Amino acid sequence: MRFRALGEEGQRRLCASRVTICGCGALGTVLANHLARAGVGHIRVVDRDFIEIHNLQRQILFDEEDVASNLPKAEAAARKMRAINSSITVEAVVTDIDHTNILDLVADADLILDGTDNFETRYLINDAAVKLGKPWIFGGVIGSEGQTMTILPGKTPCLRCVVEDSPPPGMTPTCETAGVLGPAVSTIASFEAIEAIKILSGDFESLNRDLIMVDLWNWSFRQLKVAGLLGKVDCPTCRRREFDWLEGRMGSHTTTLCGRNAVQIATRRADKLDFAQLAAKLTGIGSVRHNDFMLRFETDGHEFTVFPDGRAIIKGTNDIARAKTLYAQYLGS
Amino acid sequence: MPLVRIPTPLRPHAGGNDSAQAEGSTVGEVLNALTSAYPDLRSRLFDGEDLRRFVNVYVNNEDIRFLEDLDTPVAAADEVSIIPAVAGG
C-alpha cells in the first residue's frame, strides 16, 4: 500500500479481484504465494497432479509432509495460501484443464495466469482468454532460461501470433529431459506476478509489451519487440477468431485403455516426429529404442509407446490426468 | 559479418556454439550460410524453404515477421537471434 504506484486504491482493487491460476507446479506455486501475500481477494488454483518428492526442488509451497500425505497440488497449495493470508478466499480445483471445463474455470476471473508446463494447455488458455476478452500472462521455463509475455486480447499480440505452433515432441527440451532451476522459475513467475498486480490494480499503462527472455545462468535479459505482430500476422485465434483448442479441433484426445492399465493420448500433429531426435533426448533418463513405426521408452514404472503422428500409449497408469502429465514431462507439448 | 545467436536446444547441432558469424545481407542469406556450415541445423529451422512455424527469428530485438521476413536486410553489426518457444514450468 505504501508503494506509491499501487496506493490504497490499488490495494483495494487487488482485494476485490479474482484470478485463476492454471497449473500449480513450479510457476504456479510461486504465483500463488505472491498473489496470496499481495491480498488478491479470490484465487482459484487448478491442477491435475499430486505432489512428488522431486517437485520440492522448485515448487515452493510444498514440503515433505505434503508428499507423505498424498495431497493433490491444488489442495496443498490452497492450505498454505490460507495459512499465509486468512483474509482471502482460495479455491482448490483438482482437475485436468481441457476444452470442456476451461470456460467455467476462467469465466469469472479478472485475469488468467499460466502455471502450466505445456503448450497444449497454453493454447487452450489463449483461446479462452481471447474469446472472453480477458487478460492472461504466459510464462515458460527450462534450465536457467525463461520467457514471459502479457496478453491483453485485442490490444497486444496473443500467444498464437507470437508462437504460431508448438514444437513437436522431442524437438524441445522439457523440465524432465533438460532440468530446470528453481530460481529461474521463481524469476519468471515473479515477472508474471508483478504484471498481475498491475492489471488487477488497474495500471495497464505500465505493463510489459514485449516477449521477455532471460537466461539467469548467463546473465542475459532481452526484451523482444512483438507488439508489431498485432494485426500484421493473420492470426487464426485473435484475428480470425477460430478457437481450435477450445472447440476441441486441436489438442490431444485421451482414452483409458480398459484392462491394460494404460492411457492413449492421441495428438493431432500434421508433421511426423523425428524418432532419432526424440530418442537422443530420452537416452539417459530411461531405456529407449525405436524403429520406423514406433519408439518405446521406459522409465520409472511407465512404458511409453510413441507413434510417428505423436500418438502415445502410456502403460503403468489408467489415470488420464497422470498420463497427460507424463506426456508433457517426457515428450513435451 | 552478422552474428547469429543460437538457442540452447539447437547448440548440439551447431558444434556446441552459442553464436556463430555468418555471411549474408538478408536474414535468409545469413541462415543459409549458417546451415551450410551446420547442415544438421537445416531441418530443425526450415521446412523446405520456409522457417518452421515454431521457430521465430529476430533481428536485434525485432521479430522478422513484421519486418520483411527472410528478406529482412541485415548489416554487419546486426544480431540475428533464433528464438524457440520455452515449454516448461
Side-chain angles (χ1 to χ4, degrees):
Chain A
M1 222 186 301
R2 288 184 189 154
F3 179 63
R4 204 179 296 167
L6 188 59
E8 218 167 298
E9 172 61 14
Q11 184 64 54
R12 198 192 53 73
R13 289 188 186 192
L14 283 188
C15 297
S17 298
R18 299 178 75 98
V19 299
T20 298
I21 301 176
C22 296
C24 196
L27 288 168
T29 49
V30 177
L31 287 166
N33 176 56
H34 281 310
L35 297 187
R37 290 178 200 273
V40 172
H42 189 285
I43 305 175
R44 179 179 294 133
V45 181
V46 191
D47 195 281
R48 64 190 176 198
D49 289 325
F50 285 76
I51 307 162
E52 294 173 78
I53 192 80
H54 63 261
N55 297 150
L56 303 186
Q57 163 256 8
R58 61 190 185 278
Q59 303 189 8
I60 63 160
L61 285 180
F62 308 140
D63 55 40
E64 292 182 2
E65 221 167 278
D66 298 323
V67 180
S69 315
N70 279 317
L71 284 179
K73 290 182 178 179
E75 179 57 31
R79 291 183 189 182
K80 296 277 163 57
M81 292 158 75
R82 290 180 196 122
I84 288 166
N85 188 344
S86 61
S87 70
I88 62 171
T89 306
V90 182
E91 188 189 342
V93 183
V94 182
T95 192
D96 179 33
I97 300 175
D98 64 21
H99 73 281
T100 65
N101 61 16
I102 186 154
L103 291 178
D104 289 337
L105 293 168
V106 304
D108 59 354
D110 300 303
L111 171 68
I112 309 162
L113 288 159
D114 177 11
T116 71
D117 62 356
N118 65 86
F119 268 96
E120 183 178 337
T121 315
R122 290 188 181 113
Y123 284 125
L124 182 63
I125 295 171
N126 190 59
D127 272 5
V130 171
K131 179 164 188 169
L132 300 173
K134 277 183 200 300
W136 80 280
I137 304 170
F138 153 69
V141 190
I142 196 83
S144 64
E145 296 171 70
Q147 295 177 344
T148 180
M149 186 172 79
T150 302
I151 295 154
L152 304 174
K155 298 191 178 74
T156 70
C158 77
L159 181 67
R160 211 171 172 196
C161 294
V162 176
V163 184
E164 290 181 11
D165 195 5
S166 58
M171 205 68 138
T172 182
T174 68
C175 294
E176 267 59 31
T177 60
V180 60
L181 298 178
V185 181
S186 292
T187 301
I188 291 298
S190 297
F191 283 159
E192 286 188 56
I194 199 81
E195 291 287 287
I197 290 171
K198 291 180 205 170
I199 289 173
L200 298 174
S201 65
D203 184 356
F204 287 79
E205 288 301 301
S206 307
L207 289 173
N208 155 49
R209 301 292 168 124
D210 301 326
L211 171 65
I212 303 289
M213 272 204 76
V214 293
D215 180 348
L216 290 156
W217 201 266
N218 298 302
W219 277 126
S220 95
F221 180 92
R222 299 188 62 183
Q223 294 172 272
L224 301 166
K225 304 293 164 199
V226 292
L229 292 173
L230 181 69
K232 169 88 182 181
V233 291
D234 185 23
C235 177
T237 309
C238 71
R239 190 156 164 159
R240 303 208 300 264
R241 297 188 75 78
E242 293 166 5
F243 302 115
D244 293 332
W245 279 266
L246 191 56
E247 288 161 15
R249 288 189 294 275
M250 295 285 277
S252 61
H253 279 238
T254 49
T255 331
T256 307
L257 302 178
C258 235
R260 285 175 58 187
N261 192 29
V263 174
Q264 170 176 273
I265 299 191
T267 58
R268 299 178 179 187
R269 295 205 70 89
D271 47 347
K272 280 179 78 176
L273 296 191
D274 182 337
F275 279 162
Q277 195 175 27
L278 181 57
K281 287 244 153 43
L282 296 171
T283 302
I285 299 167
S287 81
V288 54
R289 60 206 151 87
H290 65 91
N291 58 24
D292 287 348
F293 311 102
M294 60 99 145
L295 174 145
R296 182 152 292 155
F297 167 60
E298 286 171 64
T299 188
D300 207 13
H302 295 98
E303 181 193 274
F304 296 64
T305 305
V306 187
F307 299 90
D309 62 358
R311 182 167 62 91
I313 293 172
I314 301 174
K315 259 195 201 161
T317 183
N318 48 29
D319 178 347
I320 284 176
R322 175 82 189 127
K324 281 174 121 176
T325 298
L326 289 164
Y327 192 100
Q329 283 179 336
Y330 293 105
L331 305 178
S333 13
Chain B
M1 252 190 282
L3 186 75
V4 185
R5 295 220 171 266
I6 299 157
T8 313
L10 293 181
R11 285 175 201 163
H13 312 293
N17 295 307
D18 59 6
S19 63
Q21 289 193 303
E23 198 84 60
S25 58
T26 64
V27 171
E29 287 175 15
V30 167
L31 292 180
N32 280 337
L34 180 76
T35 52
S36 307
Y38 303 109
D40 210 18
L41 205 53
R42 179 88 202 167
S43 67
R44 283 165 176 90
L45 296 182
F46 288 94
D47 184 4
E49 290 303 303
D50 299 324
L51 277 172
R52 288 184 176 273
R53 292 174 63 211
F54 53 85
V55 174
N56 287 343
V57 174
Y58 291 76
V59 172
N60 301 324
N61 285 326
E62 307 273 341
D63 192 311
I64 60 167
R65 284 176 295 161
F66 60 76
L67 301 171
E68 294 167 53
D69 277 310
L70 291 172
D71 297 328
T72 304
V74 284
D78 284 337
E79 259 186 35
V80 176
S81 302
I82 302 163
I83 306 279
V86 173

